[in-house]
Amino acid sequence: KAETVADNAKTGDAGAENKPATQADKIADFVSEKDKLDVEIAGVASEVNNYLKGHSDFRGSDAEKLIGDAKKTLDKVEKAQGDLKQLAVKTENQAVKEALLRVLDCEAGRIRGLYKGMLDSKNNGDYMTGFKEGTENAYKYDDENAKFNSLYKK
């Protein structure tokens, strides 16, 4: 199957063949996706930092892979956000869902800042404005993720 974890959570599959997923399973799938996205975003940021050690901008053809990676990651975060927004939860799980959405909003801001900065630079602008947005969202992510973790019981 080419489905994402978020697809499985939305449909109730959660990796089980014939057993319907509980709401806790569905939320756990989104938590797993959040953690994977965090690692992926950190990887893109690391690649960008390494790239900047030898380049002053993102105008060269060798920057295209980085820009593409950032866009793919942004698309994944936005898909997870949309899928989670559609997930119906019981009242007692609403606070967890909302906290997870805030975390994903920060993740989107982190990767969007990297993506925007690289595009701005590619188009003869300065990458720092976008990177600043990404950094601000990284700090927000730390705060929101701590709040989420205090609500979420594994």
Side-chain angles (χ1 to χ4, degrees):
K1 285 183 178 180
E3 296 177 5
T4 65
V5 172
D7 290 330
N8 290 338
K10 190 170 93 174
T11 62
D13 183 16
E17 289 301 318
N18 295 315
K19 180 182 164 192
T22 66
Q23 194 166 84
D25 292 336
K26 293 175 188 179
I27 291 174
D29 285 344
F30 281 105
V31 173
S32 176
E33 184 76 0
K34 169 198 69 91
D35 293 341
K36 289 176 188 173
L37 289 167
D38 183 44
V39 169
E40 189 169 330
I41 292 167
V44 171
S46 178
E47 288 179 33
V48 166
N49 287 332
N50 286 334
Y51 177 87
L52 285 172
K53 290 177 183 175
H55 304 83
S56 61
D57 59 50
F58 294 90
R59 291 183 201 116
S61 60
D62 48 348
E64 291 300 319
K65 180 189 179 307
L66 285 174
I67 294 169
D69 289 349
K71 177 65 171 132
K72 287 177 193 169
T73 303
L74 177 58
D75 291 345
K76 288 179 190 178
V77 174
E78 289 175 343
K79 180 173 181 355
Q81 285 177 297
D83 290 346
L84 181 57
K85 286 176 183 174
Q86 293 179 20
L87 180 67
V89 295
K90 296 177 185 172
T91 303
E92 62 266 21
N93 292 326
Q94 189 62 36
V96 171
K97 176 184 172 180
E98 289 173 6
L100 188 51
L101 282 169
R102 286 190 299 274
V103 170
L104 289 174
D105 284 344
C106 294
E107 291 287 57
R110 285 174 66 197
I111 193 65
R112 189 178 300 111
L114 282 171
Y115 179 64
K116 181 184 179 310
M118 288 187 287
L119 283 182
D120 287 349
S121 176
K122 179 181 173 182
N123 294 318
N124 297 317
D126 185 0
Y127 59 79
M128 289 306 295
T129 302
F131 284 14
K132 182 179 178 196
E133 174 188 332
T135 300
E136 289 169 355
N137 276 283
Y139 291 127
K140 287 180 192 175
Y141 168 85
D142 291 339
D143 291 340
E144 291 299 335
N145 197 47
K147 291 174 189 174
F148 168 76
N149 287 332
S150 72
L151 288 173
Y152 182 69
K153 308 282 189 262
K154 292 184 180 182

